């Protein structure tokens, strides 16, 4: 059986921290589906389509990575994709408590699906999409935090907002 993992998140927008987790995950699993969460409770900067496009562009060299989106319960989406794993990145102790809770509830909903955690690369332990947006909003450079296409997309967003 092929090992298929879903890597869920907001990716608003994708950062080098996300890409590090996706690239490492793609070495371990046969297929990684990066799934953009369409979260109606959050006011995103980029639309789901824009976030998917940036992900596609930045993962195009990873042949076993696909980009998709989902609504509703993650575990339902995972099952629909015939996946058997969820990949998450952990940055700090503050991520841990929430992720522990999520992993526990997902296991309760379906104990066949396993959640795998990867420790952040030290270089990116401080990096989040929110921090990137905060910096980019004030026209400060974000070139060492996100891929070039994302930097360009941020520049356009904030120039027209
Ligand atoms: P955020 O908006 O906080 O950057 P997302 O919801 O888009 O996060 O995150 C998707 C996944 O990527 C989560 O599992 C998150 O823990 C992980 N992640 C985000 N940034 C990093 C990073 N710098 N290093 C490792 N994992 C990360």
């Amino acid at each position: 059986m092929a090992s298929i993992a879903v890597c869920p998140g907001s990716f608003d927008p994708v950062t080098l921290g996300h890409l590090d987790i996706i690239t490492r995950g793609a070495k371990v699993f046969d297929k990684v589906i990066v799934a953009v969460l369409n979260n109606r409770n959050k006011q995103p900067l980029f639309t789901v389509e824009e976030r998917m496009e940036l992900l596609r562009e930045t993962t195009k060299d990873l042949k076993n990575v696909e980009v998709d989106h989902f609504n509703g319960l993650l575990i339902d989406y995972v099952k629909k994709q015939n996946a058997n794993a969820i990949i998450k990145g952990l940055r700090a102790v503050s991520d841990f408590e929430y992720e522990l809770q999520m992993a526990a509830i997902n296991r309760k909903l379906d104990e066949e699906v396993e959640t795998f955690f990867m420790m952040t690369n030290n270089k990116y332990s401080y990096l989040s999409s929110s921090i990137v947006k905060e910096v980019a909003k004030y026209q400060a450079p974000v070139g060492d935090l996100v891929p070039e296409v994302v930097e360009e997309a941020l520049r356009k967003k904030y120039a027209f907002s």
Side-chain angles (χ1 to χ4, degrees):
M1 192 175 77
S3 58
I4 304 176
V6 171
C7 181
S10 309
F11 304 104
D12 185 36
V14 56
T15 68
L16 294 180
H18 293 131
L19 284 175
D20 182 60
I21 295 293
I22 297 166
T23 308
R24 285 158 58 197
K27 287 185 190 153
V28 177
F29 292 93
D30 295 324
K31 180 161 112 179
V32 173
I33 305 171
V34 183
V36 176
L37 171 63
N38 192 359
N39 188 345
R40 294 204 173 80
N41 301 328
K42 275 194 192 170
Q43 192 59 258
L45 178 65
F46 292 94
T47 65
V48 170
E49 268 314 315
E50 289 171 329
R51 283 181 264 161
M52 287 173 63
E53 195 43 51
L54 290 172
L55 276 162
R56 279 199 202 99
E57 180 64 28
T58 48
T59 60
K60 63 175 187 260
D61 293 334
L62 300 169
K63 297 302 170 210
N64 60 337
V65 171
E66 281 176 18
V67 178
D68 193 15
H69 66 99
F70 73 104
N71 298 301
L73 270 185
L74 172 63
I75 206 80
D76 290 338
Y77 175 78
V78 170
K79 281 194 277 187
K80 210 176 79 194
Q81 296 299 320
N82 284 320
N84 37 24
I86 297 169
I87 309 178
K88 303 298 293 280
L90 283 180
R91 280 163 292 196
V93 179
S94 50
D95 277 346
F96 180 81
E97 212 166 316
Y98 174 75
E99 295 295 351
L100 183 68
Q101 207 178 0
M102 292 302 289
I105 193 74
N106 283 332
R107 168 174 291 245
K108 194 170 157 47
L109 293 171
D110 187 338
E111 57 183 28
E112 296 301 311
V113 175
E114 200 57 63
T115 305
F116 290 84
F117 292 100
M118 272 187 279
M119 290 299 164
T120 183
N121 185 321
N122 280 345
K123 288 193 286 195
Y124 306 130
S125 58
Y126 59 91
L127 184 52
S128 69
S129 298
S130 326
I131 288 293
V132 166
K133 285 181 277 189
E134 203 52 38
V135 173
K137 191 158 78 183
Y138 299 104
Q139 271 79 45
V142 290
D144 50 354
L145 311 178
V146 295
E148 217 173 300
V149 276
V150 175
E151 189 180 20
E152 188 55 34
L154 281 162
R155 213 178 285 130
K156 279 194 194 137
K157 272 281 174 203
Y158 286 118
F160 295 113
S161 65

